[in-house]
PDB file of all heavy atoms in Angstrom:
ATOM      1  N   VAL A 148    -118.200-191.079 -65.229  1.00 92.00           N
ATOM      2  CA  VAL A 148    -119.425-190.719 -65.946  1.00 92.00           C
ATOM      3  C   VAL A 148    -119.971-189.426 -65.358  1.00 92.00           C
ATOM      4  O   VAL A 148    -120.219-189.340 -64.159  1.00 92.00           O
ATOM      5  CB  VAL A 148    -120.484-191.846 -65.843  1.00 92.00           C
ATOM      6  CG1 VAL A 148    -121.782-191.429 -66.491  1.00 92.00           C
ATOM      7  CG2 VAL A 148    -119.939-193.127 -66.443  1.00 92.00           C
ATOM      8  N   LYS A 149    -120.129-188.430 -66.224  1.00 94.00           N
ATOM      9  CA  LYS A 149    -120.658-187.136 -65.793  1.00 94.00           C
ATOM     10  C   LYS A 149    -121.871-186.796 -66.657  1.00 94.00           C
ATOM     11  O   LYS A 149    -121.741-186.120 -67.676  1.00 94.00           O
ATOM     12  CB  LYS A 149    -119.586-186.059 -65.935  1.00 94.00           C
ATOM     13  CG  LYS A 149    -118.375-186.294 -65.058  1.00 94.00           C
ATOM     14  CD  LYS A 149    -117.311-185.251 -65.295  1.00 94.00           C
ATOM     15  CE  LYS A 149    -116.079-185.583 -64.474  1.00 94.00           C
ATOM     16  NZ  LYS A 149    -114.958-184.693 -64.786  1.00 94.00           N
ATOM     17  N   PRO A 150    -123.051-187.260 -66.248  1.00 96.00           N
ATOM     18  CA  PRO A 150    -124.237-186.974 -67.058  1.00 96.00           C
ATOM     19  C   PRO A 150    -124.627-185.496 -66.971  1.00 96.00           C
ATOM     20  O   PRO A 150    -124.434-184.848 -65.946  1.00 96.00           O
ATOM     21  CB  PRO A 150    -125.322-187.849 -66.431  1.00 96.00           C
ATOM     22  CG  PRO A 150    -124.866-188.050 -65.028  1.00 96.00           C
ATOM     23  CD  PRO A 150    -123.369-188.032 -65.056  1.00 96.00           C
ATOM     24  N   SER A 151    -125.166-185.011 -68.071  1.00 97.00           N
ATOM     25  CA  SER A 151    -125.686-183.644 -68.071  1.00 97.00           C
ATOM     26  C   SER A 151    -127.018-183.637 -67.320  1.00 97.00           C
ATOM     27  O   SER A 151    -127.616-184.692 -67.070  1.00 97.00           O
ATOM     28  CB  SER A 151    -125.898-183.163 -69.506  1.00 97.00           C
ATOM     29  OG  SER A 151    -126.952-183.897 -70.114  1.00 97.00           O
ATOM     30  N   LEU A 152    -127.497-182.457 -66.999  1.00 98.00           N
ATOM     31  CA  LEU A 152    -128.794-182.334 -66.327  1.00 98.00           C
ATOM     32  C   LEU A 152    -129.886-182.926 -67.204  1.00 98.00           C
ATOM     33  O   LEU A 152    -130.767-183.644 -66.713  1.00 98.00           O
ATOM     34  CB  LEU A 152    -129.091-180.874 -65.995  1.00 98.00           C
ATOM     35  CG  LEU A 152    -130.443-180.604 -65.333  1.00 98.00           C
ATOM     36  CD1 LEU A 152    -130.577-181.372 -64.020  1.00 98.00           C
ATOM     37  CD2 LEU A 152    -130.634-179.117 -65.114  1.00 98.00           C
ATOM     38  N   GLU A 153    -129.825-182.662 -68.495  1.00 98.00           N
ATOM     39  CA  GLU A 153    -130.830-183.198 -69.416  1.00 98.00           C
ATOM     40  C   GLU A 153    -130.815-184.731 -69.415  1.00 98.00           C
ATOM     41  O   GLU A 153    -131.871-185.364 -69.404  1.00 98.00           O
ATOM     42  CB  GLU A 153    -130.589-182.682 -70.830  1.00 98.00           C
ATOM     43  CG  GLU A 153    -131.627-183.163 -71.822  1.00 98.00           C
ATOM     44  CD  GLU A 153    -131.394-182.622 -73.225  1.00 98.00           C
ATOM     45  OE1 GLU A 153    -130.515-181.762 -73.414  1.00 98.00           O
ATOM     46  OE2 GLU A 153    -132.107-183.074 -74.127  1.00 98.00           O
ATOM     47  N   GLU A 154    -129.633-185.320 -69.387  1.00 98.00           N
ATOM     48  CA  GLU A 154    -129.529-186.783 -69.347  1.00 98.00           C
ATOM     49  C   GLU A 154    -130.095-187.344 -68.047  1.00 98.00           C
ATOM     50  O   GLU A 154    -130.783-188.364 -68.048  1.00 98.00           O
ATOM     51  CB  GLU A 154    -128.076-187.213 -69.518  1.00 98.00           C
ATOM     52  CG  GLU A 154    -127.527-186.964 -70.905  1.00 98.00           C
ATOM     53  CD  GLU A 154    -126.031-187.167 -71.000  1.00 98.00           C
ATOM     54  OE1 GLU A 154    -125.300-186.860 -70.031  1.00 98.00           O
ATOM     55  OE2 GLU A 154    -125.592-187.638 -72.064  1.00 98.00           O
ATOM     56  N   GLU A 155    -129.805-186.680 -66.943  1.00 98.00           N
ATOM     57  CA  GLU A 155    -130.336-187.125 -65.649  1.00 98.00           C
ATOM     58  C   GLU A 155    -131.857-187.061 -65.629  1.00 98.00           C
ATOM     59  O   GLU A 155    -132.520-187.971 -65.122  1.00 98.00           O
ATOM     60  CB  GLU A 155    -129.758-186.277 -64.517  1.00 98.00           C
ATOM     61  CG  GLU A 155    -128.303-186.577 -64.214  1.00 98.00           C
ATOM     62  CD  GLU A 155    -127.795-185.772 -63.024  1.00 98.00           C
ATOM     63  OE1 GLU A 155    -128.532-185.647 -62.034  1.00 98.00           O
ATOM     64  OE2 GLU A 155    -126.661-185.282 -63.102  1.00 98.00           O
ATOM     65  N   LEU A 156    -132.409-185.984 -66.167  1.00 98.00           N
ATOM     66  CA  LEU A 156    -133.863-185.830 -66.192  1.00 98.00           C
ATOM     67  C   LEU A 156    -134.517-186.859 -67.112  1.00 98.00           C
ATOM     68  O   LEU A 156    -135.574-187.406 -66.789  1.00 98.00           O
ATOM     69  CB  LEU A 156    -134.242-184.411 -66.611  1.00 98.00           C
ATOM     70  CG  LEU A 156    -133.852-183.316 -65.618  1.00 98.00           C
ATOM     71  CD1 LEU A 156    -134.113-181.937 -66.217  1.00 98.00           C
ATOM     72  CD2 LEU A 156    -134.581-183.484 -64.299  1.00 98.00           C
ATOM     73  N   THR A 157    -133.893-187.142 -68.243  1.00 98.00           N
ATOM     74  CA  THR A 157    -134.409-188.160 -69.157  1.00 98.00           C
ATOM     75  C   THR A 157    -134.402-189.527 -68.495  1.00 98.00           C
ATOM     76  O   THR A 157    -135.377-190.286 -68.593  1.00 98.00           O
ATOM     77  CB  THR A 157    -133.573-188.188 -70.458  1.00 98.00           C
ATOM     78  OG1 THR A 157    -133.650-186.910 -71.083  1.00 98.00           O
ATOM     79  CG2 THR A 157    -134.070-189.256 -71.411  1.00 98.00           C
ATOM     80  N   LEU A 158    -133.330-189.838 -67.797  1.00 97.00           N
ATOM     81  CA  LEU A 158    -133.243-191.109 -67.076  1.00 97.00           C
ATOM     82  C   LEU A 158    -134.332-191.191 -66.010  1.00 97.00           C
ATOM     83  O   LEU A 158    -135.026-192.213 -65.889  1.00 97.00           O
ATOM     84  CB  LEU A 158    -131.868-191.266 -66.430  1.00 97.00           C
ATOM     85  CG  LEU A 158    -131.667-192.486 -65.538  1.00 97.00           C
ATOM     86  CD1 LEU A 158    -131.856-193.783 -66.321  1.00 97.00           C
ATOM     87  CD2 LEU A 158    -130.296-192.444 -64.879  1.00 97.00           C
ATOM     88  N   GLU A 159    -134.508-190.129 -65.256  1.00 98.00           N
ATOM     89  CA  GLU A 159    -135.523-190.117 -64.196  1.00 98.00           C
ATOM     90  C   GLU A 159    -136.926-190.287 -64.774  1.00 98.00           C
ATOM     91  O   GLU A 159    -137.758-190.999 -64.217  1.00 98.00           O
ATOM     92  CB  GLU A 159    -135.436-188.814 -63.394  1.00 98.00           C
ATOM     93  CG  GLU A 159    -136.331-188.785 -62.176  1.00 98.00           C
ATOM     94  CD  GLU A 159    -136.039-189.866 -61.153  1.00 98.00           C
ATOM     95  OE1 GLU A 159    -134.870-190.280 -61.014  1.00 98.00           O
ATOM     96  OE2 GLU A 159    -136.995-190.316 -60.472  1.00 98.00           O
TER      97      GLU A 159
END
Side-chain angles (χ1 to χ4, degrees):
V148 176
K149 297 177 184 173
S151 68
L152 178 59
E153 182 179 352
E154 291 170 325
E155 287 184 42
L156 293 173
T157 300
L158 175 61
E159 187 60 31

